[in-house]
Amino acid sequence: MSIEQTILITGGAQRVGLHCAQRFAEAGYRVIITCRAPRAEWEHTPLQGIEVMLADFSTQAGIESFIERLDRRQARLRALIHNASVWLDDSTGADAFQQMFMVHLQAPYLINLASERWFDQEGPADIIHMTDFIARQGSPRHIAYSATKAALENLTLSFASRFAPSVKVNSIAPALIMFNEGDSPEYRKKALSKSALGIVPGPDVVFQAVNYLMNNPYVTGTTLDLNGGRHLKR
Ligand SMILES: NC(=O)c1ccc[n+]([C@@H]2O[C@H](COP(=O)([O-])OP(=O)(O)OC[C@H]3O[C@@H](n4cnc5c(N)ncnc54)[C@H](OP(=O)(O)O)[C@@H]3O)[C@@H](O)[C@H]2O)c1
């Protein structure tokens, strides 16, 4: 593997994105993550082998500024993982849809259009969209979230077609991967009961799914379900 090969993970300062960033860094890749602000804990415990780029995708200017800065770095990407996400329910107000539209859709769309110049045309190269099980299911309290993740899943088809054969483009559609700190015991119990396998797998299953997509030369334009059999429960 070339030392120049870079994995770019948006929203990679915590949880699933950070876990994948750390695993890729351990494997010898150069890793860039984005986040909106540096974490206080990095002053005492700096990230090992991971570069941080500040980026806020809630505005067009923020997205364009990120693209310009990445251009200036002349990064050579092995994979671009659109992981940044906003989880708001529909009681949050009119701004919620706009926020999720920008982060789940506008940013991946503009970054993907720019990304052709960051990949080696000889490959291998991958773009991976982190969507969600409920993108295809819908959700009565997360209508905007589901719709914007569904649109992100749809980007997979168009970009896979546009970038073939040099860049593969796929989605991963997780159901429950890990809980948020504030999740109540009742919520946890209910969430666990929704999947056939009934476990909280943790972020390494996402890393495994990303690796599968990166290492398989014959998969593009698809969505990989990562849901513990959630679709089997009635
Ligand atoms: N965790 C699960 O169980 C689960 C289930 C289904 C799907 N997923 C999907 O899997 C992916 C990873 O999940 P996760 O739970 O680890 O994600 P997360 O912690 O909810 O969010 C990831 C990152 O998104 C970034 N972000 C939010 N607003 C942003 C903005 N305006 N501009 C730029 N970045 C922004 C945040 O970065 P900063 O705050 O550092 O800026 C945050 O660290 C997500 O796409 C999620 O939708 C996760």
Side-chain angles (χ1 to χ4, degrees):
M1 182 184 59
S2 156
I3 192 81
E4 293 305 319
Q5 287 197 311
T6 298
I7 311 281
L8 170 60
I9 305 177
T10 67
Q14 64 183 23
R15 292 164 55 81
V16 170
L18 180 59
H19 176 84
C20 292
Q22 288 170 327
R23 293 293 309 268
F24 277 121
E26 285 161 16
Y29 286 95
R30 287 186 57 187
V31 180
I32 300 174
I33 61 169
T34 73
C35 64
R36 284 167 295 180
R39 300 291 206 269
E41 66 265 25
W42 295 343
E43 286 193 14
H44 314 289
T45 322
L47 292 172
Q48 301 295 317
I50 298 172
E51 291 177 56
V52 178
M53 288 181 70
L54 298 186
D56 186 341
F57 300 143
S58 60
T59 64
Q60 178 96 4
I63 299 166
E64 285 170 356
S65 154
F66 171 69
I67 291 170
E68 281 166 22
R69 282 178 287 131
L70 200 60
D71 266 337
R72 282 203 293 276
R73 279 180 176 231
Q74 301 185 317
R76 305 311 308 157
L77 293 190
R78 168 63 185 86
L80 163 57
I81 302 172
H82 290 289
N83 173 78
S85 183
V86 185
W87 171 247
L88 295 172
D89 67 36
D90 297 304
S91 65
T92 321
D95 181 45
F97 192 98
Q98 179 67 13
Q99 274 192 59
M100 291 188 278
F101 171 83
M102 294 304 290
V103 175
H104 299 163
L105 201 55
Q106 183 82 297
Y109 170 70
L110 292 176
I111 293 168
N112 284 355
L113 286 176
S115 71
E116 263 182 304
R117 51 189 185 259
W118 304 327
F119 287 112
D120 288 329
Q121 291 309 302
E122 299 76 44
D126 286 84
I127 295 174
I128 297 174
H129 300 140
M130 293 301 298
T131 65
D132 196 300
F133 169 79
I134 66 170
R136 272 174 277 163
Q137 184 88 351
S139 164
R141 280 175 296 283
H142 293 93
I143 297 169
Y145 176 86
S146 303
T148 52
K149 285 287 192 177
L152 174 60
E153 191 170 305
N154 180 270
L155 285 190
T156 307
L157 300 170
S158 302
F159 277 112
S161 173
R162 181 179 173 119
F163 289 162
S166 55
V167 183
K168 293 179 285 131
V169 185
N170 291 287
S171 291
I172 296 171
L176 175 64
I177 298 296
M178 55 199 299
F179 286 118
N180 285 295
E181 264 175 34
D183 290 339
S184 67
E186 297 75 35
Y187 175 86
R188 289 172 190 243
K189 194 172 166 204
K190 192 172 162 200
L192 268 173
S193 72
K194 286 182 180 171
S195 81
L197 296 181
I199 57 166
V200 186
D204 206 60
V205 293
V206 176
F207 181 69
Q208 290 168 34
V210 168
N211 269 285
Y212 164 73
L213 292 173
M214 286 174 61
N215 293 328
N216 192 308
Y218 204 50
V219 178
T220 195
T222 72
T223 295
L224 175 57
D225 289 329
L226 189 65
N227 63 26
R230 172 129 178 223
H231 59 296
L232 304 173
K233 291 285 260 201
R234 309 257 173 246

